[in-house]
Amino acid sequence: MTTDVASGPENPEKPPANIDKLNANIARIEELTQRLVQALSHKGTPNPEVEAPGPEFFAKAAAAYWAEMLDNPGKLIEQQVSYWGKALRHYVEAQHALAQGRLEPPADRSPKDRRFANPLWDTHPYFNFLKQQYLFNVEALESAVAELQDVTPLERRRIEFFTRQIIDMMAPTNFLATNPDALERALETEGESLVRGLENLVRDIELHRGELLVTLADRDAFTVGENIGTTEGSVVFRNRMMELIQYEPTTEKVRERPLLIFPPWINKFYILDLKPANSLIKWVVDQGYTLFVVSWKNPDASYADVGMDDYVEEGYLAAIREVKAITGQDRINAVGYCIAGTTLALTLALMRKRGDRSVGSATFFTTLTDFADPGEIGVFLNDDFVDGIEREVAKKGYLDKFFMGRTFSFLRSNDLIYGPAIKSYMMGERPPAFDLLYWNGDGTNLPARMAMEYLRSLCQANRFATGNFEICGESVSIHDVHVPVCAIACETDHIAPWRASYAGVREFGAKDKTFILAESGHIAGIVNPPAKDKYGYYTNAGAMEGDEDAWKAAAEHRRGSWWPAWAAWLEKRSGKLVPARVPGDAAHPALSPAPGTYVVETPGA
């Protein structure tokens, strides 16, 4: 019988038991470092104008601060003394505890923050000192910004937003040496977690051609058409702008009037068809509707001159025409989601000008039509950003999905940037197999002309709400929307704020208007199937005449999904029951099975 002898001073010739693992990790780090350098070499020439606000913004913020301080120097002294006093008192208390031989932090009066959930943030003197000093800094910065005077509401919102970005970026959790979770994991795995984290970092930079964008979901866990986007149907029409999908009926009878959904072309349509359990598309079909959905083309540089006119003529009007031809109906019901809802409103206004009554009712999901207050996204709508985007798209012919993805991520930076980066790059964790986050990372490009028309004419100039938006040779207004309308907005939506959505719908010319306020945000509030019984909603039978807060105060809160309430509204506007329709007809043969070909294309790949 033999016994392995451990290495150590008494047996110096035998290597440590984990030396092979250590050497292997070192070799992997060297290999990954070479890949990292190679990946970074593919990064394009940086465009500072789309990376951060211009110098004028920071100069204006600094000037406003110092002007306030010069007018009221006592306020400056009060702010600084308060900050210095807290920071110094905390330092003295920490030193006093150590001098007495107590390895414990001083009293911690800081607010709870889920970033600091590890018990070491409260019990370990080093980590607790870092946390408290960071939170003192946060409080001082927020106080200084809150007390700024002589700035416009938009300027204040921008200063607050970008100050928060700096605050979030500098959190001690974002750095290895000051993150106890990451350090503990590194010790537990003998550094393996850091090697895996480096692998994840290199993978993301390679994937985005030298740019860093955190992968939020396991890219190998889902395949569109296999385990997401699987509702049965066929592409029955295709042009350069879109594929038109008609879904197989699941009921013997269907409503006479077909339903056509226009999803946003900033992302892909299968957000409404993730898994069968939370698929709005499947649910609508199961309610007895002939359902059509548009799947937009993911544009490349050849689409540079495609504008809003093209989306309306070759997207909306073409789809409406083909749905009518396939079903033999003179009128259809339409749905628009986000930017597709905005463009549906433009289309309806245009159709009224042309005397076209093809749409019987319209439903809007999280849609802005009045951009007087665009919410958080408004911080990116000043000329310092938009001018940079204009130069970017003029060079490339399209707005790369990378910029859109990153911009929306910064609206929830802790959830969509720093939190996932910590887990992936410092903890070495594999991204989760989460269908919603997978879809979130599967973005699309925007044609150059369309992107600038949307940003300049709709977002910045707000021309549709002011009555002079030019589309397809007509000047249209928000008041030209006269069909019966149902609008669903989401209470915590950071992309299309519900109050702004309400304000736009209130200005529609339609007499028949229903507004539903769903709980949760831009996606979760819409993709909320009845079986989950997760989020509720608000309804108000009164007219949309007062302001949004008065509407909500008088509204009734109901538990569960808003889907059945919408279905009841839609049913009254969908005609009698008729035999179910199979996809297409002799003039519209099946071109490919759903989800089609456009949804899986990756331009430039």
Side-chain angles (χ1 to χ4, degrees), residues 56 116 133 185 316:
E56 297 83 2
F116 304 114
Q133 290 292 326
R185 180 66 60 83
Y316 286 75

Side-chain angles (χ1 to χ4, degrees), residues 154-446:
L154 177 57
E155 288 170 344
R156 178 176 298 280
R157 182 180 293 177
R158 298 190 89 211
I159 292 169
E160 290 173 345
F161 179 84
F162 290 109
T163 299
R164 171 53 57 184
Q165 295 304 312
I166 295 170
I167 287 171
D168 291 343
M169 181 176 63
M170 298 309 296
T173 46
N174 295 339
F175 304 91
L176 177 62
T178 54
N179 187 316
D181 292 299
L183 292 171
E184 286 179 332
R185 180 66 60 83
L187 288 174
E188 291 168 2
T189 62
E190 297 179 316
E192 179 71 17
S193 61
L194 299 180
V195 176
R196 292 199 302 266
L198 183 56
E199 288 178 336
N200 292 341
L201 174 64
V202 172
R203 175 206 63 210
D204 284 349
I205 293 177
E206 289 177 337
L207 180 65
H208 297 106
R209 304 184 299 279
E211 300 283 358
L212 177 57
L213 192 65
V214 186
T215 296
L216 299 178
D218 185 351
R219 296 176 60 84
D220 298 324
F222 302 101
T223 301
V224 180
E226 293 185 10
N227 56 357
I228 51 175
T230 59
T231 301
E232 190 175 357
S234 300
V235 174
V236 292
F237 176 80
R238 179 187 292 128
N239 63 19
R240 68 166 184 154
M241 298 300 299
M242 54 91 180
E243 290 182 326
L244 181 64
I245 301 171
Q246 182 179 359
Y247 286 90
E248 291 281 352
T250 58
T251 56
E252 291 185 1
K253 300 280 188 178
V254 296
R255 290 290 161 184
E256 186 176 30
R257 185 175 292 176
L259 182 65
L260 171 59
I261 297 179
F262 294 98
W265 55 90
I266 290 175
N267 291 99
K268 297 182 179 178
F269 84 90
Y270 66 87
I271 183 57
L272 301 176
D273 190 31
L274 292 172
K275 290 177 289 192
N278 60 356
S279 170
L280 177 63
I281 286 175
K282 183 179 186 307
W283 187 85
V284 167
V285 172
D286 289 345
Q287 304 314 300
Y289 288 91
T290 301
L291 179 63
F292 295 80
V293 175
V294 164
S295 174
W296 298 102
K297 178 74 172 181
N298 192 355
D300 56 20
S302 67
Y303 281 68
D305 290 329
V306 166
M308 296 293 290
D309 284 1
D310 301 295
Y311 274 89
V312 170
E313 289 283 11
E314 299 180 51
Y316 286 75
L317 296 178
I320 292 168
R321 180 187 67 241
E322 300 306 323
V323 170
K324 288 169 56 181
I326 292 170
T327 61
Q329 295 295 306
D330 292 332
R331 308 185 85 182
I332 72 163
N333 293 323
V335 179
Y337 191 171
C338 191
I339 186 177
T342 307
T343 312
L344 175 60
L346 297 176
T347 304
L348 293 172
L350 172 69
M351 294 172 75
R352 184 169 187 267
K353 287 290 184 79
R354 291 179 172 180
D356 187 341
R357 296 171 53 84
S358 297
V359 175
S361 78
T363 300
F364 297 90
F365 295 165
T366 63
T367 294
L368 292 185
T369 48
D370 183 343
F371 289 83
D373 181 10
E376 292 182 43
I377 198 68
V379 301
F380 295 103
L381 295 178
N382 273 43
D383 280 339
D384 53 358
F385 273 108
V386 177
D387 289 349
I389 291 173
E390 188 163 30
R391 279 184 271 275
E392 180 73 20
V393 300
K395 179 176 62 177
K396 296 189 68 172
Y398 60 92
L399 180 61
D400 196 295
K401 64 181 181 180
F402 168 81
F403 293 106
M404 298 297 297
R406 187 180 59 183
T407 298
F408 286 123
S409 292
F410 273 116
L411 297 179
R412 291 291 181 269
S413 57
N414 282 325
D415 294 330
L416 298 177
I417 298 177
Y418 302 119
I422 288 168
K423 291 180 180 179
S424 184
Y425 307 149
M426 285 198 276
M427 307 292 286
E429 296 179 5
R430 186 179 180 88
F434 188 4
D435 55 357
L436 181 58
L437 290 179
Y438 176 88
W439 166 85
N440 187 73
D442 189 18
T444 58
N445 304 323
L446 301 181

Side-chain angles (χ1 to χ4, degrees), residues 90 93-94 97 102-133 135 172-173 178-181 184:
H90 179 232
E93 289 174 350
R102 291 185 286 115
L103 191 63
E104 61 184 35
D108 187 347
R109 306 172 188 85
S110 58
K112 293 297 181 184
D113 188 318
R114 60 192 176 95
R115 291 174 295 179
F116 304 114
N118 189 307
L120 288 176
W121 289 112
D122 296 323
T123 61
H124 193 285
Y126 169 69
F127 292 114
N128 184 263
F129 183 82
L130 290 172
K131 179 190 78 168
Q132 291 205 55
Q133 290 292 326
L135 293 175
T173 46
T178 54
N179 187 316
D181 292 299
E184 286 179 332

